[in-house]
Every structure is written in C-alpha cells, then in structure tokens.
Amino acid sequence: MPVISCRNVSKIFRRHAGPQLAREHLKALLTRRARRDNDFYALRDISFEVNEGESLAIIGGNGAGKTTLLSLIAGLSCPDRGSLSVNGRIAALLQLGSGFHPDLTGAENVVINASLLGFSRKRTRELFDSIVEFSGIRDFINEPLRTYSSGMVVRLAFSVAINVDPDILIIDEVLAVGDLAFQEKCHERIRALRRARKTFVCVSHAMPMLLQLCDHAIWLDHGELILSGNIQDVIDAYEGRSAPRPPGG
Amino acid sequence: MWKGDYVFVLRNLILKDFRIRYRNMSLGMFWSLLNPLVMMSVLTFVFVKIFRSPTPHFPVFLLCGLVPFNFFSTAWSSSTTSLADNAGLIKFVRIPRAIVPMSAVLAACPHLLIQLALLLGIATASGIPANIHWAWLPVVFGMELVFLCGLGLVFSAVNVYVRDTRYVVESANTVLFYLVPVFYSFSIIPQAYREVYQYNPIAALILAMREIVLENRAPSEVLLLKLFAVSVVTAAVGWVVFQKLEKRVYDHL
C-alpha cells in the first residue's frame, strides 16, 4: 500500500477580485455569471504515488503549486477533484514558526507544539529535554519567542517535528534559515528517518540538498505536473529548461 | 485522521490564552476582579441612588446578572474570532479545528471562576448565607458551556467566510445587555414575553443564578429543561455546521 497516493487531484481557487461586499455576492448570484471565469487551477490533474521508504522532492518555480500540494498532503485542505490518501502520522513544517506564539517562551511553545503534533502529556515531558538539546538554544529557552532570531525559531520547530517520530515528514523550504552546522544536523536526522523506512517530502530550491535527501521528484509548473521520476533525471530536466513561462502567461 | 491527546491540546490552548492575556499586564489577574467591581459600583449608584430601586441586596442582585453576562459575551466574541485569529495554526498545523473555538470558550472559565468567587464573597459579606443550592451553579454553568461551544462553532466558521460576523456579534452583545434582565428583575417583564425569555440561555442562566443565590432555592425544573434543550440543540447544530464549513476554511484564511 503506497504511503501517499494522489490520483487526478485538482485544487481550484476562486479569484477574489475586488471587494467582498454583499453587493458583489448579490451581483454574482443574480447575473449567474459563469463561475468558471473566476476559477483558477492551483493544481490540475496531478497523479503520483510515494511508497514506503521513498522520499519525494517537489520542485518548480514560484506559484507552481508546490505549497498547495503540500497542504493537501498534510491534510490541511481538501482537493476539489480526484482523491488523495495518506497513511501514517504526519509532521509538517510548512511555515516558519507556525503554531508558535511570540509572547510565550520557547519552552511553552515547545509544549504547545508537541501537543498539536499529537504528543501526550507524559510523552512531551519525557522528550522535552531531547527537543531542547537538539535545538541547541537551552540558554534562551525561557525567553519569549519574539526575542528569537528566525534561525532560532526554525531550530526549535524542527526539533519538535523530528522528535515526534513521524511516519511522514513534510518540509517546505524552511531549513535554509538555519546555519550550516544546524542544517547538517537536520540532514543527518532526515537520513536516519529514511533508514528507518519513513517517508520524507520536501519542497526546496536547493538542488544539492534535494539530491542528497530524496530519491524521487516531481516537477510542477503552473499547477501541472511536468515530469515525475528519479531525482537526478527530474532535476536535470528542470535545470535544462529553467526559464519558465512568464507569470500569468 | 489526527491521533493525539485532545485533553492535552485543549489544556495547552487554554493555558496559552490565559498566559498571553495576563503576561504583559502589570495588574495581571486583578483585572478580572476590577472590571465587575467598577461596573457593580457604577450601576449600583445609578439604580439605588438615582432611580431609587427597591430591590434588596442590589449589588448582589446586579452581580448575579453581570457575572454570567460577562462570561457569555466574552466567550461568544472570543470564540467567534478564534479561527481567524489563529490562522497560523489553522493553515499550517494539522489539528482537529473544532478544538480552536471550543478552547476559546473554555478560556473564559478562569475569569468566570474568579468573578463567581467575588460574587459569592460579596453575597456572604452582605448577609446572604451560603446554601446547599449553590451546588446547582456548576450544573447551570455546565449547560451554558455546552450552549456556548455550539455558538462558538457556528460563529467562528461563519466569521472565516464573512468577516463582518464579529461586528454583528459585538452589536448583539450590546443589545443583549439591555434586553436580558442584567440590571432589572425578571418580574417586571410583561407576562407575554416571559416564556420566550426562558429560552434565551443567557437570560435563563441569570434567572437560575438569582433563584440559587438570592431566593435560596433550586432553579425551577421548567427553566432547567429549557436551558438543557436549547444547549444540546445548539451544540448539535454547531457541530454539523462546523463540519460542513470547515472543509473550505483553509481557502478563505
């Protein structure tokens, strides 16, 4: 059974042009203006599978639909067409410091984040020290998060996510904020995750890192799947034709 | 499906709300006492000294209205904005989203407990003895919580789609303050409206409070039944509506 199975998935966003006033809604309702004019395919007819122990890189230019795809895999939004099934416990790092509150201390944020990712109270207490240890910011753990640099925030967020022991780890570009030593530490943990036959899904523009950490890749462009296959082949094809169509073209 | 510890998440979210609210205030928890005390003093002055209200124990009578009303309006408005306020959580962390408005409702409880303690303290100090019927207080407030969770589920979800909702709620709270017998007695409401009033959970709660604290008796069965029925129906409707609206919440935040 594949860990992630994505079949003919489309995600449609409605363009919110102009103000969201009642009279606009009324006008649209009364004139029965063809809704399709306002529809925008963030993803169109995407199909792929990720099997146990495989790792997937998603590459493509800005606005290609990479983050939208991750949000679907993470179960944060629903596809409009097609079907998507994901088997296993997910930890997703989709945005720097999401779920963290600036006025709370690092320690308080760690506990909240751990509970959101599905830890029990007991497990959180057991793992608290190794989370803080891995993050390497023990000295500042009782300071409010607003005093942290973005590198420190990502250290904390990654430490929590990796210690959840997820079946599927999803990362959207955020690691680049950490310094080289910390990035290397993260990569080592991701390799360990992969040795344990867990799944890793990643969006990044750092091709050398993707080559190291992933074995498969899909290339998205303007919501469509251009190529899917072995990481080296996809990256070669992507870099060979890396002048994408102009936005909106 | 999210497999986690619901109670632990709920506890953490409530604690978070509590800490954020008080951490940057020099008076901290004292604010929970100050607000009803000031309101009580001002309204008591107006109604006893100016309008010459004959109601005995007017400050206690008033607090029996103010405390539940404050709880209701705080819980309602903070749960309404909860999803929009926590967009970071909703968009990037996978959690059962119904927890967010419910934790906003529950986060109003620490205030409530402080204010209830104040109310019962003032009651005792002004010569109203503690009585066995105080045991009904957790029951009626429990039903009110169920009602508020239902209300919070509906309004938080609708507020994501139509952001004006929070202003509707704010206005409704202002209107309700006068419509609900907060600073006047239920007995001066014309007979024709009384039946309807009992279906309003906030009016019912205030009525029950006064029966318990001032009249030293258990709340009437009809009242309890109405409160119970409205609470359960609201919670059920809230749950269904939330499940339906939740699917596109991501796209609208």
Side-chain angles (χ1 to χ4, degrees):
Chain A
M1 189 168 61
V3 179
I4 301 170
S5 163
C6 186
R7 282 204 197 90
N8 308 104
V9 163
S10 294
K11 179 76 188 174
I12 304 163
F13 287 124
R14 206 141 285 148
R15 288 178 206 264
H16 291 293
Q20 292 291 297
L21 290 174
R23 78 184 140 92
E24 307 293 327
H25 290 296
L26 215 63
K27 211 161 77 187
L29 208 70
L30 290 176
T31 56
R32 293 194 177 276
R33 188 179 52 200
R35 279 189 157 186
R36 258 173 231 132
D37 292 356
N38 282 330
D39 284 355
F40 162 76
Y41 279 76
L43 291 172
R44 193 192 291 268
D45 209 19
I46 305 287
S47 299
F48 66 91
E49 274 186 3
V50 179
N51 292 304
E52 199 196 316
E54 286 181 357
S55 283
L56 179 74
I58 303 171
I59 57 179
N62 295 129
K66 304 185 297 292
T67 300
T68 306
L69 185 57
L70 285 191
S71 78
L72 291 174
I73 297 173
L76 293 163
S77 71
C78 312
D80 289 295
R81 303 219 186 96
S83 70
L84 180 77
S85 75
V86 178
N87 302 298
R89 199 220 297 250
I90 301 171
L93 277 182
L94 297 186
Q95 204 195 39
L96 193 59
S98 50
F100 281 180
H101 195 285
D103 281 342
L104 298 179
T105 68
E108 288 165 343
N109 274 307
V110 165
V111 174
I112 293 173
N113 229 247
S115 74
L116 293 172
L117 288 172
F119 277 142
S120 70
R121 191 176 178 181
K122 189 161 158 275
R123 200 86 186 96
T124 304
R125 207 176 303 132
E126 286 165 7
L127 283 172
F128 183 80
D129 275 326
S130 55
I131 292 173
V132 176
E133 191 57 52
F134 186 83
S135 73
I137 48 173
R138 188 176 287 282
D139 291 348
F140 303 98
I141 203 70
N142 288 319
E143 296 297 318
L145 206 79
R146 62 182 136 82
T147 64
Y148 285 23
S149 71
S150 50
M152 288 159 82
V153 174
V154 85
R155 274 166 176 261
L156 210 56
F158 185 83
S159 306
V160 179
I162 197 73
N163 278 292
V164 184
D165 189 25
D167 299 321
I168 305 164
L169 178 66
I170 301 177
I171 293 186
D172 189 355
E173 199 63 87
V174 293
L175 287 188
V177 182
D179 58 29
L180 285 177
F182 187 71
Q183 279 188 32
E184 190 38 53
K185 217 162 131 184
C186 294
H187 294 173
E188 187 41 50
R189 285 300 283 266
I190 292 168
R191 277 184 220 110
L193 194 86
R194 299 212 43 209
R195 283 195 293 277
R197 307 217 20 95
K198 302 293 176 64
T199 301
F200 175 60
V201 180
C202 179
V203 163
S204 179
H205 299 288
M207 299 302 161
M209 181 195 92
L210 292 179
L211 274 171
Q212 268 187 42
L213 297 177
C214 302
D215 41 27
H216 286 66
I218 56 177
W219 170 14
L220 296 178
D221 185 40
H222 292 82
E224 290 179 41
L225 198 148
I226 305 290
L227 189 65
S228 148
N230 176 280
I231 179 96
Q232 187 70 60
D233 299 345
V234 176
I235 288 183
D236 286 348
Y238 176 68
E239 290 184 332
R241 208 203 98 181
S242 64
R245 284 176 283 168
Chain B
M1 231 349 254
W2 186 84
K3 291 189 205 80
D5 188 334
Y6 286 85
V7 179
F8 187 47
V9 171
L10 213 50
R11 181 178 171 277
N12 277 323
L13 289 181
I14 295 167
L15 219 68
K16 169 185 165 187
D17 187 273
F18 194 74
R19 285 176 176 145
I20 293 166
R21 193 166 303 177
Y22 287 113
R23 181 146 303 166
N24 295 327
M25 292 188 197
S26 15
L27 287 182
M29 300 272 296
F30 190 62
W31 281 112
S32 287
L33 292 174
L34 204 61
N35 178 283
L37 276 176
V38 169
M39 281 290 274
M40 183 191 80
S41 314
V42 172
L43 286 172
T44 302
F45 175 76
V46 171
F47 284 95
V48 177
K49 297 287 172 200
I50 299 175
F51 284 107
R52 308 257 168 223
S53 166
T55 314
H57 299 298
F58 191 83
V60 181
F61 170 86
L62 189 66
L63 278 180
C64 283
L66 275 180
V67 170
F69 188 85
N70 280 346
F71 169 61
F72 170 83
S73 61
T74 313
W76 189 21
S77 52
S78 67
S79 63
T80 297
T81 57
S82 62
L83 286 182
D85 288 346
N86 285 295
L89 213 60
I90 303 295
K91 289 202 77 162
F92 302 109
V93 188
R94 195 176 127 102
I95 49 163
R97 290 168 179 156
I99 272 191
V100 173
M102 291 207 253
S103 77
V105 168
L106 291 173
C109 288
H111 291 276
L112 173 68
L113 292 178
I114 296 168
Q115 300 193 353
L116 271 181
L118 174 77
L119 161 66
L120 296 177
I122 291 185
T124 318
S126 58
I128 301 169
N131 69 65
I132 184 78
H133 301 298
W134 284 12
W136 279 101
L137 290 175
V139 180
V140 287
F141 276 101
M143 288 194 227
E144 192 74 10
L145 269 181
V146 173
F147 169 72
L148 277 166
C149 283
L151 211 58
L153 285 169
V154 174
F155 280 85
S156 62
V158 172
N159 186 53
V160 172
Y161 294 83
V162 185
R163 294 295 169 94
D164 322 37
T165 309
R166 59 177 301 184
Y167 300 107
V168 175
V169 171
E170 276 170 26
S171 308
N173 270 327
T174 314
V175 172
L176 277 174
F177 184 76
Y178 296 95
L179 221 49
V180 165
V182 174
F183 52 84
Y184 53 91
S185 164
F186 187 64
S187 59
I188 61 168
I189 295 168
Q191 194 68 44
Y193 303 121
R194 284 194 198 173
E195 290 286 299
V196 189
Y197 259 83
Q198 293 194 342
Y199 281 108
N200 174 352
I202 175 62
L205 183 67
I206 294 173
L207 273 168
M209 283 285 293
R210 292 196 176 136
E211 285 176 341
I212 293 166
V213 177
L214 288 168
E215 294 167 32
N216 194 359
R217 61 184 170 94
S220 76
E221 280 150 31
V222 184
L223 185 69
L224 284 176
L225 217 64
K226 283 179 181 171
L227 181 56
F228 179 75
V230 174
S231 301
V232 171
V233 170
T234 310
V237 170
W239 185 258
V240 173
V241 170
F242 192 85
Q243 297 306 325
K244 199 148 183 61
L245 292 182
E246 189 228 21
K247 293 201 177 69
R248 293 203 75 90
V249 153
Y250 180 91
D251 307 347
H252 286 264
L253 274 176

